[in-house]
Amino acid sequence: MLCISGLNAGHALSEIMSFLAFYEQLGVPLRVGISAVVKARLPFIYQLLVELLPEDRILLLEDGRIYRFAWLAMRRNRWFNRVVNWQKLPYEKRDKVMTFGDLREIKHDFADSAATLIEVAGGIYARHAHRYDLSRKIILIKSSDDPLACSPTRSMYVFPAARAIAEAAGFRFVSVSDFADISEYICTLRHADRIIISYGSTACTNRFFIAPQASVTVLAHRHYQQEYEWTNDDWHVLHSHTFPVISQRVLLDFPNEIDEPTMRGLLDIAAA
């Protein structure tokens, strides 16, 4: 049984990565049961699972039906796939800006290696990128009008005038709900080499789909202040919001609402 504990995509993806690491070690092609609720409520997560595991091994368990098994194994999967040696990550912190250098090799340093997932994302991009009109600069933030947002009360708001400034600078605003399937979703993220993304599940879910050569700016906005200030050693940022990319910045205490001056300042930082 592949047990998923909830509808937060970041945690669901971590649990899948944990399960697959265990499943590969078994070396036996057992069938994998998973609730049909995952396919219905987290469709891209399910589509990604099909990319990672042959679909003929997946048994969808429908609500309201009784199943009988001769043998069944269940395990508690890792709820969050963290950077194990987060204390050793080098960075500079000045005026609420955390600046990292080359983080590409941390793909091997997660509790469950991200290397396979990054390789699969690269394969999807190689096969399907030609089908889409893709952008090199994108902004992906949690929005209250996104039907897939699991905590809309912690979303951000971009004023129309601020959005126009970003678009004039060549940035495209994207939302998970805009995409038809996992291929378009991953190709959009993988193609971009300059990305602005919001804190929380938005960052944690998507960090493995972004190209290693990308430059990422993470907006640690104030809705998440209790989390990123939980300890005074930047633990929450380092162990859960670092991306396996060539360059990253994290902007702490970023406003929940982005007006024109804030957007101009953000674009200056993202362009540096």
Side-chain angles (χ1 to χ4, degrees), residues 23-35:
Y23 187 78
E24 289 173 3
Q25 290 177 356
L26 290 178
V28 181
L30 299 174
R31 296 198 71 186
V32 176
I34 185 170
S35 171

Side-chain angles (χ1 to χ4, degrees), residues 84 103-116 118 244:
V84 175
L103 292 171
R104 287 175 290 183
E105 287 307 306
I106 68 167
K107 66 182 180 182
H108 302 295
D109 296 335
F110 288 89
D112 295 299
S113 175
T116 297
I118 292 170

Side-chain angles (χ1 to χ4, degrees), residues 4-16:
I4 303 295
S5 62
L7 297 177
N8 181 298
H11 292 303
L13 182 59
S14 292
E15 288 169 326
I16 285 175

Side-chain angles (χ1 to χ4, degrees), residues 62-185:
E62 301 288 347
D63 187 27
R65 294 189 65 184
I66 297 174
Y67 296 84
R68 180 176 297 159
F69 301 96
W71 183 88
L72 177 67
M74 302 180 72
R75 76 186 293 264
R76 182 176 181 177
N77 299 305
R78 201 183 309 275
W79 194 63
F80 194 84
N81 193 14
R82 70 193 187 283
V83 177
V84 175
N85 296 315
W86 59 269
Q87 302 97 326
K88 298 180 180 180
L89 291 177
Y91 67 99
E92 295 181 359
K93 187 176 181 181
R94 182 182 300 176
D95 298 329
K96 297 291 186 177
V97 177
M98 298 173 64
T99 303
F100 298 83
D102 192 337
L103 292 171
R104 287 175 290 183
E105 287 307 306
I106 68 167
K107 66 182 180 182
H108 302 295
D109 296 335
F110 288 89
D112 295 299
S113 175
T116 297
L117 187 56
I118 292 170
E119 182 180 348
V120 168
I124 291 173
Y125 177 79
R127 295 193 305 272
H128 300 288
H130 66 279
R131 299 166 48 198
Y132 309 111
D133 181 18
L134 303 172
S135 301
R136 288 295 182 188
K137 298 192 287 187
I138 63 173
I139 298 177
L140 174 60
I141 61 174
K142 180 183 292 185
S143 171
S144 58
D145 58 3
D146 186 345
L148 300 177
C150 62
S151 55
T153 56
R154 296 204 284 185
S155 62
M156 303 185 74
Y157 177 75
V158 183
F159 289 94
R163 180 182 291 264
I165 290 172
E167 291 173 341
F171 277 91
R172 173 188 170 197
F173 285 84
V174 298
S175 171
V176 175
S177 57
D178 294 339
F179 305 130
D181 52 32
I182 191 67
S183 296
E184 183 181 11
Y185 174 26

